[in-house]
Amino acid sequence: MYIKKNHRMSVFRGGAFCLLIICLVFLACENSAEEAQANRGTLDDDDDQGDDDFDDGDDEFEKYCGYMNELKSEASNIEIFYNPNADVKCLWDPRPGSAPNSECACIQDYENILYLEEAQPFVNVMQPEELLEIVNDPEYELGIEEEYLSPDDLSEALMDGGNISFLTDGMYDRELNVTVLDQKVEASFCRQLLLFEDPFVGAFTAMHISPINPMAETDGSFQVPTVIASHGHCENPERFEIDHYGERYPDHGLGIIMHSSKGICVDDYEADTSFNLVSNGFSTLGIKVYEEALLLRYLKANLGVDEGHIGLIGHSAGASLGNITSRIFYDDFAAYVADTETSYVAWLPWGAGLEGFCYVMTLGIYPYHVQIYDFENNAVPTIMIPYDGGDRPDNEQRIFEFFEEKLF
C-alpha cells in the first residue's frame, strides 16, 4: 500500500475549481465532514406501515411533515432515529450553538477504506513513477473509448473505473442509520437536518426540505418528487440553498435533499487524500458517488417520496459527481441538471504532476469522459445550465420548468 505522508495542514489557498474547469470558489471554506456517534431516541411503531417512526414532541411537525419520517414496510436495514443532542464531531452542522468544526481535515477519514477487509481484493498500488506517467499523458496511457457503450455497459464500466463495486454490491443488505438532528416547519415547507451513518464510509450530513402536507396524513397518500443535490468546492448545503434556489423547491411541489460533501476545500487535505486513494486504486470521487447512492436508497425507502420521480442536480464539483452518479444509477433518476464538465484527470489550482490532486481525479473513468458529456446520449433526461447559477435568474426558470416536466 502506498500512502503519501506529508499532510501539510496548510491554510486554504483560495482559487478556482480543478484545473481544466472554470469555476467560482468562495473565499472562505464552510463546514462539513466525518464520523458521528449519536445517543438514539426511542422509536415506537404507531401506524400500520410496518416501519419504525418516532414522536419528538413537535405536534406541528408531526401533523404537517410527519410523512418525512415514515419508511415503506418493505424497506429493510434502514432505521430512522431522533436525537437533537447528537455530537456530529466535524461534520457540517448548522444547528445554533454547534461547535466550529474542521470538516476539511476530516476528508482523511475516506482513507479508512484502504483498510477495509472487503476492499483488499480491489487495492491496486501504483508507484509514484507509474502514476506520474499516467497523469501527465492520460490520453496516451489510458486511451479514450471511441465507441459509445450501452447504458448498462457504461454503468458497469464506471463502477469498475471508479472501483466502487464492492461498495454498491450488497448495499441494500447493509445497515443504514439515519438520525434526525433537527426538524421544523418553516413558512410553506418542512426542514430536516439528517445524519447518515454507513459501516463502510462513515458518516455525512444532509439537509432535507419538502412541502407541507395539507392532508396531514402519513399513510403514503402524500408523496413528493424529490431531488438530490450536491454543492461545489468550499460550499455546503446552506450555501447551495441560498445560491441555487433550495427553499423554492417546495413552491413547485418538489422536495430537495442537499448532500454535505465533506472535505472538498481546495486545500492540502483534499489533495493528499485524493493522492493516497488514487495511488491505491480508489478515488475520493468514487466514495462520494456511493454517498449519493445512499441518499438515493434512503429516498426510495421513504414513504413520503415518490420513488419513481427522483431527480439529481449538481453544481461545480457536485456536477462532476452527479455526472457519474446519473450514469451509474440511470434507472433510478428521472431528470438531471449539471453545470460542469471535467475529464476526471484534474488538479487543484496550484497542482501539477503528483501535487494538488483534485478530488475528481479518477483514472478509470477518464476513458469514458467523452461519452459522459454527451448529455443527449444520457439515458437520464439531462440539461446543462450556465455555471454561474445564482447570477442568472433564467437558470431558476429553466431548472424548475425541467424538473416539473420530468418529475410529475
Side-chain angles (χ1 to χ4, degrees), residues 230-232 313-324 336-341 344 359 373:
S230 282
H231 60 76
I313 187 171
H315 166 61
S316 193
S320 298
L321 170 60
N323 295 335
I324 304 304
Y336 173 50
V337 177
D339 68 3
T340 299
E341 299 179 3
Y344 297 96
Y359 99 92
Y373 290 112

Side-chain angles (χ1 to χ4, degrees), residues 36-41 81-89 93 95-96 98 179-183 193 195:
Q37 294 186 358
N39 297 317
R40 308 300 187 187
F81 303 94
Y82 179 75
N83 184 9
N85 300 314
D87 178 11
V88 302
K89 300 184 185 292
D93 183 3
R95 291 176 294 177
S98 60
T179 300
V180 178
L181 302 173
D182 190 25
Q183 59 183 23
L193 175 65
L195 169 69

Side-chain angles (χ1 to χ4, degrees), residues 151-169:
D152 276 344
D153 289 344
L154 182 59
S155 173
E156 184 176 347
L158 295 179
M159 277 197 283
D160 290 343
N163 205 3
I164 62 170
S165 60
F166 75 97
L167 293 173
T168 56
D169 289 349

